[in-house]
Amino acid sequence: MSYFITPIGFVESNRDSKQDDFWGALQSRIVIAPEFCSAALAGLDAFSHVEVLFLFHQVDESNIVTGARHPRNNPAWPKVGIFAQRAKNRPNRIGSTICRLVRVEDRCLTVVELDALAGTPVIDIKPVMREFLPREQIYQPSWADELMRDYWRHAKGDAGETSPYTPMERDPQEDN
């Protein structure tokens, strides 16, 4: 059985090359496709974060992994199944990231820390609600800690460091 998905928008960003780390503080825009009016985003600005689902459109089908591999092809890390990692070479090439929503203007969203390249097709946007986040402690293997060490650091040469996740409440009135 096959399904067809049409992008609802595209990413605009100054990052257009594949690289695994240093996504911290990257600001991007998601421009919603012309067939959607700005009313599709009504009320989204009341949320602090959005979950963006997107297509790893630059991954060639010949590079798709359906079994196990070393994350980032690093033999120091164990060989694990593709569904036990967040690699871009997944069977359906779908990525998902929770990022901070900066603003909504007309048919554009400005977000921070979206790990998608310029031109990436966006297939869905959802508001992040506390009740959909894990309700218990999260754990992961040590290789994942190593892999993610620099992922959210600021770009090379930038003085910024990784910001730990802290739940926050944002007053939408502050944006006016």
Side-chain angles (χ1 to χ4, degrees):
M1 181 178 301
S2 293
Y3 294 92
F4 297 95
I5 295 177
T6 303
I8 57 127
F10 293 88
V11 174
E12 288 183 351
S13 167
N14 63 1
R15 186 142 172 197
D16 56 4
S17 63
K18 298 176 196 174
Q19 108 186 56
D20 289 324
D21 293 317
F22 305 106
W23 291 97
L26 177 68
Q27 188 164 300
S28 304
R29 285 179 9 125
I30 299 171
V31 180
I32 302 302
E35 57 266 28
F36 298 98
C37 64
S38 59
L41 302 175
L44 194 59
D45 60 350
F47 292 88
S48 65
H49 290 77
V50 291
E51 182 172 11
V52 180
L53 292 111
F54 53 93
L55 185 65
F56 291 116
H57 67 297
Q58 292 186 6
V59 173
D60 189 274
E61 275 192 49
S62 65
N63 293 328
I64 298 296
V65 175
T66 58
R69 70 170 201 145
H70 297 283
R72 292 192 185 174
N73 297 315
N74 183 342
W77 295 329
K79 201 177 230 189
V80 296
I82 193 65
F83 298 128
Q85 49 189 293
R86 295 184 61 99
K88 62 186 170 295
N89 300 34
R90 354 186 28 77
N92 286 321
R93 296 179 283 181
I94 295 174
S96 169
T97 301
I98 293 175
C99 41
R100 185 167 53 86
L101 179 61
V102 176
R103 76 180 147 275
V104 178
E105 296 173 308
D106 192 30
R107 292 181 18 262
C108 297
L109 282 80
T110 301
V111 296
V112 175
E113 295 184 342
L114 173 60
D115 53 345
L117 303 176
T120 296
V122 174
I123 57 177
D124 206 352
I125 299 166
K126 297 181 179 207
V128 174
M129 298 177 186
R130 270 184 225 105
E131 293 78 7
F132 283 97
L133 296 173
R135 288 161 297 289
E136 57 275 333
Q137 186 174 353
I138 295 171
Y139 58 90
Q140 62 191 27
S142 59
W143 66 262
D145 293 332
E146 270 184 66
L147 181 142
M148 295 302 295
R149 181 180 46 236
D150 292 328
Y151 199 83
W152 295 115
R153 284 194 190 277
H154 292 207
K156 291 179 181 173
D158 193 351
E161 289 297 318
T162 304
S163 303
Y165 172 75
T166 329
M168 62 180 230
E169 291 191 26
R170 180 174 62 108
D171 181 356
Q173 297 305 315
E174 291 176 2
D175 295 338
N176 295 332

